[in-house]
Amino acid sequence: MTSIDSSKHKKAKALKPGSVRPAKELCSECGLCDTYYIHYVKEACAFITQRIDELETSTHKRPRNLEDENELYFGVHQEMMSARKQQPIEGAQWTGIVSSIAIEMLNRGLVEGVVCVQNSKEDRFQPMPIIARTAEEILAAKVNKPTLSPNLSVLEEIEKSGMKRLLVIGVGCQIQALRAVEKKLGLEKLYVLGTPCVDNVTRAGLQKFLETTSRSPETVVSYEFMQDFRVHFKHEDGSEETVPFFGLKTNVLKDIFAPSCMSCFDYVNSLADIVVGYMGAPYQWQWIVVRNDTGKEMLELVKDQLHTQPVMSQGNRKPAVQQSIPAYDQAVTLPMWAAKLMGVVIDKIGPKGLEYARFSIDSHFARNYLYVKRNHGEKLEAHVPEFAKRIVEQYKLPE
Ligand code: FAD
Ligand code: SF4
Ligand code: SF4
């Protein structure tokens, strides 16, 4: 860790909403700069100083083993599994494992508050970060707000509240900044529950995506890019709409992802204690990665509420990844009938379980590597972590 003076940050001034952030166009609006912790932005911001390797070692007490394929891809971990809630939480993104862990931690007194993100009254996708102090407040934060979210904007409130034990739920860029200032928060114990994250967008970008892709953008309550190579939209009336990835209007959508997310290599949330996603698990199951003893303690609290099974892996992603690289680069869109056919074929013979997760990591890292090289070439060497360089090296990239 760098030597930073713990008394100085309170004199720093949060930036006003809408003002240019220190990371400029690469800012992912993680919320740190909305607080006096902006004082540490140079060391903390994932887009100014990439420190995943160093923070992984200090957080998990050992570095990622780059010689082990599972650690290379999914980060430091003790165990992985597929899981689903025996009684899913209605309206959660998947089965609600994230909300359930948070509720259990609060109810058992392990923490006094939970940083999570609800939505504004007017707009179900407008993120509103809060420190939840009741199970009801945690439940009101269920389901993804699929936009950049300033989760760390509540950090000043934590220090002022005098809380000593805290759970933070968040995505990779938020958690890197959090880990960098962790020692300054005055906590006795910090727990971090992460989700994977990729291809995030601003609120305006989300609108464009919904309007270009869904048959009824105004009734979408959630969506997910699934293992069957289709986007699944859930609508207000409970109906589901699926659109094949290959039929997405990539020529229109190419520019909607936020520049931060086109430059991000922390898809699997390397610095969380435990990560709950879906992409390494069979369809309709969630995927849990326990990184350290704290993560194990968190999982134990809900184990009796879960069905679990070992992780599985099937197929060969590499040809599909290699083909996806130029296709994305040239913004190729297949006609819908061909896209549907391709989706069906890939679903039958394509990568499943951990191999699907590796497919998604490979294709996003290759795309993002090219983006950084072309748009921020001077940052490439320091910004791309060693594990991501090794992953990208497996493929032939266009210039
Ligand atoms: P729930 O119980 O519904 O709880 C969801 C939690 O997420 C809430 O506590 C809320 O505070 C938090 N949250 C919601 N929106 C945000 C946000 N914008 N930033 C930070 N925290 C938020 N998993 C994969 O395996 N592969 C992916 O490619 C992938 N992409 C994702 C992209 C985004 C933008 C997000 C937010 C998540 C992504 N996930 C991905 C995680 C996955 O979609 C689920 O969130 C996760 O499996 C938890 O499901 P759940 O039912 O247990 O969550
Ligand atoms: Fe500040 Fe976070 Fe934006 Fe970096 S990503 S400039 S830390 S708000
Ligand atoms: Fe942050 Fe990366 Fe997710 Fe974008 S893709 S919101 S930069 S974790």
Side-chain angles (χ1 to χ4, degrees), residues 15 21-24 26-34 38 41 44-48 152 173 177 260:
L15 288 180
R21 312 274 125 167
K24 305 206 176 71
L26 288 181
C27 172
S28 69
E29 298 171 28
C30 77
L32 186 89
C33 295
D34 302 334
I38 189 179
V41 68
C45 177
F47 305 94
I48 298 176
L152 300 187
C173 57
S260 52

Side-chain angles (χ1 to χ4, degrees), residues 368-378 380 398-399:
N368 289 9
Y369 186 89
L370 278 176
Y371 180 86
V372 177
K373 187 173 165 196
R374 289 171 182 170
N375 296 283
H376 301 277
E378 74 295 344
L380 189 70
E399 270 314 299

Side-chain angles (χ1 to χ4, degrees), residues 2-60:
T2 41
S3 57
I4 28 190
D5 178 351
S6 64
S7 63
K8 282 189 182 159
H9 62 255
K10 289 184 190 163
K11 292 193 191 124
K13 270 238 166 354
L15 288 180
K16 294 210 173 71
S19 56
V20 178
R21 312 274 125 167
K24 305 206 176 71
E25 76 276 16
L26 288 181
C27 172
S28 69
E29 298 171 28
C30 77
L32 186 89
C33 295
D34 302 334
T35 72
Y36 48 53
Y37 293 97
I38 189 179
H39 182 73
Y40 304 119
V41 68
K42 277 199 195 133
E43 297 95 342
C45 177
F47 305 94
I48 298 176
T49 316
Q50 183 280 118
R51 296 173 58 198
I52 297 177
D53 297 346
E54 173 198 346
L55 289 170
E56 257 181 342
T57 307
S58 57
T59 302
H60 308 309

Side-chain angles (χ1 to χ4, degrees), residues 28 47 148 171-174 197-200 260-261 264-266:
S28 69
F47 305 94
L148 300 177
V171 298
C173 57
Q174 299 159 358
C197 182
V198 77
D199 288 350
N200 215 344
S260 52
C261 309
C264 174
F265 295 91
D266 196 17

Side-chain angles (χ1 to χ4, degrees), residues 85 89 91-100 102 114-118 127 138-139 141-151 169-171 174 193-201 223-225 227 267 275-280 285-287 356-357 360 364:
K85 289 233 30 223
I89 296 180
Q93 184 70 19
W94 282 80
T95 71
I97 295 178
V98 166
S99 299
S100 303
V114 177
V115 175
C116 53
V117 51
Q118 298 180 346
I138 294 171
L139 275 178
K142 72 188 173 200
V143 80
N144 291 357
K145 284 31 133 207
T147 59
L148 300 177
S149 173
N151 283 27
I169 301 172
V171 298
Q174 299 159 358
L193 171 48
T195 70
C197 182
V198 77
D199 288 350
N200 215 344
V201 289
Y223 69 85
E224 199 79 83
F225 286 74
Q227 298 95 325
Y267 194 167
V275 179
V276 181
Y278 65 88
M279 64 180 175
W285 287 75
Q286 292 190 258
W287 172 52
Y356 175 81
S360 195
H364 284 99

